[in-house]
Amino acid sequence: MPDLPALDLPVLDLIALDLIALDRAAVQESLRVLRAARDADWERPSPCADWTLRDLVAHMTAQHHGFAAAARGSGADRTYWIEQDLGSDPFKIYEESVRHVLAAFAEEAEEGVMERGFTLPEIGGTFTGRIAVGFHFLDYVVHSWDVATTIGVDIDLPLPVIEAALEIARRVPKDPERRGPGAAFAPVLPTPEHASPLEEMLALLGRSPDPAIR
């Protein structure tokens, strides 16, 4: 499973954001677009190199369980991060993981989750909840687009959600050793002229709406 790069995120930039609400919007959008998947779609190639839609959703499911465990203080246990076989009803398995992570973030928010340490073994460290939820939020804005692109539908996220993700994407390290094969994001692509916030965010994270460039 690819490692997420550490983000250079000043704390003050994130304090102003309601990251729990933003994350919920991104995760629920991933569920909405995935609901449109048909049986034949699960073996389609996704924008993530060498991953079919099934592979991508297995990754997304495992990440939900891992982040939920991290929110509850058990993130160091790597068993929570293991990708599982999605079986004959992958949408149902993913839907269950969505409920799990959203419940974990909501429950722990009452206990100061944003200041608590999240242990994220795939990144190799412990981060404040605010930084960790920022990781998760950005990942699921991008993965909503990945899923939507794979099955040929549009994502429908409010502009403030996209703009918040763009601000975080601008701070993802661009150095080559953190981009490319085995990493969460591909090398930065040129930003199209007159790019929308979504298009700029995708380019910063190595994604392109043009299949010839992916």
Side-chain angles (χ1 to χ4, degrees):
M1 190 176 296
D3 294 332
L4 288 168
L7 305 185
D8 180 17
L9 290 173
V11 173
L12 288 177
D13 288 351
L14 291 179
I15 286 175
L17 300 177
D18 184 349
L19 285 167
I20 297 291
L22 290 167
D23 182 77
R24 184 185 309 114
V27 171
Q28 289 178 334
E29 178 63 4
S30 74
L31 189 65
R32 185 192 71 82
V33 294
L34 189 61
R35 188 172 282 113
R38 300 294 177 258
D39 289 347
D41 293 327
W42 291 98
E43 306 312 319
R44 290 183 184 276
S46 78
C48 301
D50 302 322
W51 280 0
T52 63
L53 179 62
R54 181 180 291 273
D55 297 329
L56 171 61
V57 174
H59 163 75
M60 293 164 64
T61 300
Q63 291 290 301
H64 285 330
H65 286 296
F67 272 85
R72 291 169 171 153
S74 301
D77 185 345
R78 287 181 175 269
T79 60
Y80 289 107
W81 302 87
I82 296 172
E83 294 179 16
Q84 304 293 328
D85 185 343
L86 298 181
S88 61
D89 193 348
F91 178 81
K92 179 180 179 181
I93 299 298
Y94 182 69
E95 186 177 33
E96 290 171 354
S97 76
V98 164
R99 286 197 296 266
H100 189 56
V101 74
L102 294 184
F105 284 0
E107 291 164 8
E108 300 305 318
E110 300 299 322
E111 304 297 328
V113 68
M114 288 306 197
E115 286 67 47
R116 180 181 306 158
F118 276 48
T119 299
L120 306 176
E122 294 182 352
I123 305 177
T126 298
F127 304 83
T128 66
R130 194 170 298 280
I131 297 293
V133 175
F135 288 152
H136 192 263
F137 163 58
L138 179 62
D139 213 25
Y140 282 86
V141 172
V142 176
H143 284 328
S144 292
W145 181 86
D146 289 333
V147 171
T149 299
T150 302
I151 63 179
V153 300
D154 294 326
I155 66 168
D156 183 19
L157 284 168
L159 183 59
V161 175
I162 298 293
E163 289 177 334
L166 173 58
E167 285 305 309
I168 297 176
R170 286 172 174 159
R171 291 162 173 79
V172 175
K174 300 175 177 62
D175 40 307
E177 60 268 23
R178 301 195 193 189
R179 298 295 188 111
F185 303 120
V188 175
L189 296 173
T191 300
E193 187 176 4
H194 308 303
S196 68
L198 176 61
E199 290 168 335
E200 182 181 350
M201 184 202 69
L202 293 171
L204 287 169
L205 302 178
R207 303 291 209 276
S208 172
D210 183 349
I213 299 176
R214 284 179 222 149

